[in-house]
Amino acid sequence: MAEAMERPRSRLIFILPGLVFVALAGLFAVQLFSGRNPAELPSVLINKPVPTFSLAPLEGLVANGQPVPGFSNEDLKGRVTVVNVWASWCGPCRQEHPLLVDLAKDPSIRVVGINQRDNPDNARRFLGALGNPYAAVGVDPNGRASIDWGVYGVPETFIVGPDGTIRHKHIGPLTPENFSAFKEKLRQTPRA
């Protein structure tokens, strides 16, 4: 009798790993073919006010003979603003930078940058070599402000409405392939 009870258990031991594998494979397949863009992870901050913060300027950064200011959450009100979280040590930041320079040419949009955990000299050299698209650059030396924004890593780019509400979050670099969709999100953002 004990031998008869052992047979179903021993079969279960061989079948169970196969069932677990099939379940995991099914879950991965659903995620892979869902059509969801991994750069558009949901954020609890969408349609919420930007976090409260105040960032000092990148010391020594000058544009048109004037120091480039830092900024705070209050500075993000009044017009559509693109907030880009970047660092000089970030390779994808270098790749997306020409698109930000192009975006900054649009007078209806303000582009600002949060320089995350960076060496100030390296950050200034980065902008000196590639151009400065930012109307303001706030320094986030320990990453605290970036954490409050829900940043996973650099680069990340946010669209903030004129009311100071986060309207869109883009994770990863802006690329020629996704830039049109990003600009469409900008067009859909309500103006003041």
Side-chain angles (χ1 to χ4, degrees):
M1 174 120 170
E3 191 177 305
M5 297 276 295
E6 285 296 318
R7 237 182 263 152
R9 282 188 186 169
S10 64
R11 284 186 192 155
L12 185 60
I13 289 172
F14 289 111
I15 294 173
L16 190 58
L19 291 174
V20 169
F21 174 78
V22 168
L24 285 174
L27 178 64
F28 289 135
V30 166
Q31 291 298 315
L32 184 63
F33 298 110
S34 68
R36 231 180 93 224
N37 182 349
E40 292 182 6
L41 292 175
S43 171
V44 296
L45 297 177
I46 300 298
N47 296 321
K48 301 249 178 6
V50 298
T52 302
F53 70 96
S54 182
L55 297 174
L58 177 58
E59 203 169 306
L61 183 62
V62 176
N64 301 323
Q66 298 295 317
V68 175
F71 65 101
S72 72
N73 54 296
E74 289 301 316
D75 297 316
L76 299 181
K77 294 180 180 174
R79 65 193 289 194
V80 175
T81 305
V82 172
V83 179
N84 178 250
V85 184
W86 66 282
S88 64
W89 46 262
C90 163
C93 296
R94 185 172 292 275
Q95 293 170 341
E96 80 172 355
H97 202 78
L99 297 173
L100 293 169
V101 170
D102 184 53
L103 192 62
K105 293 175 185 173
D106 183 339
S108 69
I109 299 165
R110 181 175 189 229
V111 180
V112 299
I114 296 176
N115 182 236
Q116 185 191 57
R117 298 180 186 194
D118 207 350
N119 175 298
D121 292 332
N122 293 344
R124 281 190 301 277
R125 274 194 293 274
F126 178 95
L127 295 175
L130 300 177
N132 180 9
Y134 306 117
V137 175
V139 176
D140 188 15
N142 60 9
R144 183 69 225 163
S146 299
I147 290 169
D148 291 344
W149 278 78
V151 171
Y152 294 98
V154 292
E156 288 191 20
T157 306
F158 298 82
I159 298 172
V160 178
D163 58 353
T165 300
I166 297 173
R167 298 297 180 180
H168 178 70
K169 176 181 182 177
H170 180 85
I171 297 172
L174 295 169
T175 65
E177 294 78 23
N178 64 34
F179 197 51
S180 293
F182 184 81
K183 289 199 313 191
E184 182 57 32
K185 295 281 187 187
L186 271 170
R187 278 190 286 277
Q188 293 171 358
T189 302
R191 303 297 192 233

